[in-house]
């Protein structure tokens, strides 16, 4: 069986150890010959990498492991780039979330003005990684889950049209795992779904078991009462996420024939979200206090003890979609997966140049999208507005345009007026001086 060389871009990410453990658990179907980490913050990456080095030595000493901040070393001789960078790190996520809240608008990592601000930072960072990959390993594929994936995907579609890059999100996978549990199945892979939308902005229209039986009625009965909070919660999900899964009940009620992505709550119930936000303590603070502290604490303990049992790093089970995707390309499995791809007619009555999230068959030459057909007025209206926001952000980045970015924020369904949009934009510009191109 062929063995592969992978570089994780954003090696210092809190998700890196969970993904390394997941890669190790999948060596039977996606074997590695080399694993490298790349990050532009050497000190942050070193902690994660030195701990992973201990784990790899214990579990897979044959995999050649290294980490670096040098692009040439990182991107030379790789088959896959797994990219999860966060330009500006949590310090800037906190600002993305808190600045709009000061103006009475919701603050969220990937939605509304916060997501737009993050997009303006991410585009350059992700393009740089695409360019390194194309320069040093022109045959490699980039599996990107750096956020905001919708904006990043539009930027690469437009600015690097020939790049071998696949954009993917784990939210549908997380929701489908809950649906499977609700339907009494062991694994979401026992379901066959139809879904369409934009990233963090879509709907399931059909869910069947492997025999073709409709699972929608059973799931619907549960979602109508509890949203996506499953009968028993084995995962010990944090309260803020649990609220999002519960709120899916109200989001669902708008179109009970389908099931919504949880992120639609930010667009359909923005007033509710603002009322339930604490402008002094947002999700970034929770993540810094919990996930970041836990992961780095464990890594330091492992480094000191020289053995992995000293920490409590956990395998990121549901990140196995990344292995599914890599395996699909490496071994031409033709697995059916939701990916963010150019619409190109798949949704018949929607912009062919929009990046949409739809089922695709994935093989060695990439994704083959399945036809969705026509979508209803409600979804089409919402998606048209949101896709215009995403395109305007890329326009703004490309042409360094204040005007386009003001239009983008104004058009976001989360923002009440052009004057509020302008006030938020001016604060965001101030906060992002180090990261955004200078706007004219
Ligand atoms: P994190 O801040 O812990 O890690 C990100 C790393 O990226 C940091 O070590 C940082 O130094 C590095 N980085 C920043 N800019 C870089 C650049 N230009 N080049 C190289 N490295 C750079 O963040 P996290 O919470 O672990 O999340 C990582 C990313 O994964 C985020 O973009 C997050 O939104 C994304 N994510 C996406 C999905 C999805 O569904 N698509 C799921 C989970 C996480
Ligand atoms: C889901 C989404 C990601 C997002 C993450 C935020 O997994 O699909 O796109 O980055 O949630 O989670 P966090 O725990 O960082 O708030
Ligand atoms: Mn996502």
């Amino acid at each position: 069986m062929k063995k592969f060389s992978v570089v994780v871009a954003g090696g210092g990410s809190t998700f890196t150890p969970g993904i390394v453990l997941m890669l190790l658990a999948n060596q039977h179907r996606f074997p590695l010959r080399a694993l490298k980490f790349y990050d532009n913050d050497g000190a942050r990456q070193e902690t994660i990498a030195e701990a992973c080095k201990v784990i790899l030595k214990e579990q897979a000493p044959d995999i050649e492991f290294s980490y670096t901040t040098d692009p040439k070393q990182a991107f030379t001789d790789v088959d896959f780039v797994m990219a999860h960078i966060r330009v500006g790190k949590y310090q800037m996520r906190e600002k993305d979330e808190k600045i709009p809240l000061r103006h009475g608008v919701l603050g969220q990592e990937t939605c509304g003005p916060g997501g737009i601000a993050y997009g303006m930072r991410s585009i350059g960072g992700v393009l740089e990684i695409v360019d390194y990959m194309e320069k040093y390993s022109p045959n490699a594929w980039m599996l990107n889950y750096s956020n905001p994936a919708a904006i990043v995907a539009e930027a690469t579609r437009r600015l690097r049209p020939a790049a071998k890059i696949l954009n993917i999100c784990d939210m549908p996978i997380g929701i489908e795992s809950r649906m499977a549990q609700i339907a009494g199945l062991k694994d979401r892979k026992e379901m066959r779904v139809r879904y369409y939308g934009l990233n963090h902005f879509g709907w399931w229209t059909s869910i069947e078991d492997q025999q073709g039986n409709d699972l929608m009625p059973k799931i619907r009965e549960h979602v109508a009462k509890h949203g996506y909070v499953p009968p028993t919660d084995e995962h010990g999900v944090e309260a803020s996420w649990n609220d999002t899964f519960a709120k899916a009940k109200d989001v669902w009620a708008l179109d009970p024939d389908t099931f919504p992505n949880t992120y639609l709550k930010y667009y359909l119930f923005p007033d509710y979200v603002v009322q339930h936000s604490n402008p002094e303590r947002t999700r970034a603070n929770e993540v810094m206090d919990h996930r970041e502290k836990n992961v780095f604490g464990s890594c330091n303990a492992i480094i000191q003890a020289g053995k992995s049992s000293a920490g409590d790093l956990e395998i990121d089970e549901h990140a196995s979609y990344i292995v599914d995707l890599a395996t699909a390309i490496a071994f031409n499995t033709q697995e059916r997966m939701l990916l963010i791809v150019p619409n190109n007619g798949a949704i018949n009555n929607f912009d062919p140049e929009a990046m949409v999230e739809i089922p695709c068959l994935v093989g060695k030459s990439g994704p083959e999208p399945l036809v969705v057909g026509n979508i209803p007025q409600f979804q089409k209206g919402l998606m048209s507005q949101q896709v215009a926001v995403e395109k305007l952000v890329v326009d703004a980045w490309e042409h360094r345009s204040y005007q386009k970015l003001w239009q983008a924020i104004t058009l976001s369904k989360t923002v009440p007026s052009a004057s509020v949009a302008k006030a938020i934009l001016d604060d965001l510009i101030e906060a992002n001086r180090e990261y955004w191109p200078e706007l004219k």
Side-chain angles (χ1 to χ4, degrees), residues 110 145 147 149 168-172 199-200 263 357:
T110 64
Y145 34 103
N147 269 317
I168 191 161
C169 169
D170 68 358
M171 196 72 247
N199 177 235
H200 290 183
Y263 276 93
E357 196 167 88

Side-chain angles (χ1 to χ4, degrees), residues 15-48:
F15 292 109
T16 299
I19 286 176
V20 167
L21 289 169
M22 185 271 302
L23 285 168
L24 290 176
N26 282 277
Q27 285 305 291
H28 57 286
R29 61 183 184 122
F30 184 63
L32 295 178
R33 61 180 166 88
L35 179 63
K36 295 191 261 189
F37 293 175
Y38 167 75
D39 204 290
N40 65 358
D41 179 340
R44 184 179 175 91
Q45 172 167 263
E46 188 179 357
T47 307
I48 303 282

Side-chain angles (χ1 to χ4, degrees), residues 120 394-403 437-440:
M120 288 290 287
V394 179
D395 288 344
W397 189 88
E398 193 182 354
H399 304 293
R400 314 301 195 231
S401 167
Y402 179 98
Q403 199 74 35
E438 197 177 334
L439 302 180
K440 300 187 284 255

Side-chain angles (χ1 to χ4, degrees), residues 3-7 30-36 76-81:
K3 292 188 173 190
F4 297 90
S5 170
V6 166
V7 60
F30 184 63
L32 295 178
R33 61 180 166 88
L35 179 63
K36 295 191 261 189
T76 299
D77 183 33
V78 297
D79 303 303
F80 290 95
V81 178

